[in-house]
């Protein structure tokens, strides 16, 4: 079992920045594939960014260049640095984890590929 707890959400003006954190416990964090997702009202949960157990990263096109995903295996924590925020970034942001991987480079964009989820943290960007 893996427990995930997100923090760092809040209200920010357009153009501002936030850093989300996801604290993990219950399993060796360094062996997990980690991802950030978000879900806006009335929309499906969508992939934002992922990081493999080996440190490779992937981003969806609409956050590339603005968001940065990182992991600190010593602190068992996943981060999402969000810059140049836009009103359309408003959503509940979730971190997710799985210990299933084909290789240390594996990253998954489908929510169904992840086994563990945090409770979510609200990010609201005002115009």
């Amino acid at each position: 079992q893996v427990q995930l707890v997100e923090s760092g959400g809040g209200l920010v003006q357009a153009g501002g920045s936030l850093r989300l954190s996801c604290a993990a416990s219950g399993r060796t964090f360094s062996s997990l594939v980690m991802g950030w997702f978000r879900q806006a009202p009335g929309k499906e949960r969508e992939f934002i960014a992922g990081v493999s157990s080996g440190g490779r990263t992937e981003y969806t096109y609409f956050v590339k260049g603005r968001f940065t995903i990182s992991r600190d295996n010593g602190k068992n924590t996943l981060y999402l640095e969000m810059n140049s925020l836009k009103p359309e970034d408003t959503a509940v942001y979730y971190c997710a984890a799985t210990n299933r991987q084909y290789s240390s480079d594996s990253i998954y964009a489908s929510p169904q590929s992840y086994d563990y989820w945090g409770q979510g943290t609200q990010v609201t960007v005002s115009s």
Side-chain angles (χ1 to χ4, degrees):
Q1 284 288 337
V2 177
Q3 293 79 42
L4 303 172
V5 179
E6 301 99 335
S7 61
L11 174 65
V12 64
Q13 288 188 333
S17 299
L18 282 175
R19 187 174 83 155
L20 305 183
S21 299
C22 173
S25 61
R27 193 174 181 95
T28 303
F29 180 74
S30 61
S31 68
L32 297 172
V33 180
M34 302 296 299
W36 283 103
F37 291 76
R38 71 187 186 189
Q39 188 166 18
K43 295 187 176 181
E44 293 187 351
R45 193 166 296 189
E46 59 185 4
F47 174 78
I48 298 299
V51 58
S52 72
S53 61
R56 188 177 74 86
T57 59
E58 281 189 6
Y59 299 88
T60 189
Y61 71 94
F62 50 80
V63 304
K64 195 172 291 186
R66 298 191 298 127
F67 291 10
T68 301
I69 188 172
S70 62
R71 65 191 303 162
D72 186 334
N73 291 336
K75 295 183 178 180
N76 291 351
T77 303
L78 177 73
Y79 301 100
L80 185 68
E81 185 76 34
M82 304 186 294
N83 298 312
S84 302
L85 283 161
K86 306 174 182 180
E88 51 265 42
D89 293 318
T90 295
V92 178
Y93 283 70
Y94 299 90
C95 69
T98 182
N99 53 27
R100 295 178 288 164
Q101 60 180 345
Y102 295 103
S103 75
S104 61
D105 287 337
S106 295
I107 295 173
Y108 310 113
S110 170
Q112 286 71 31
S113 297
Y114 292 83
D115 301 305
Y116 308 102
W117 292 86
Q119 81 288 351
T121 185
Q122 177 70 46
V123 172
T124 303
V125 184
S126 63
S127 57

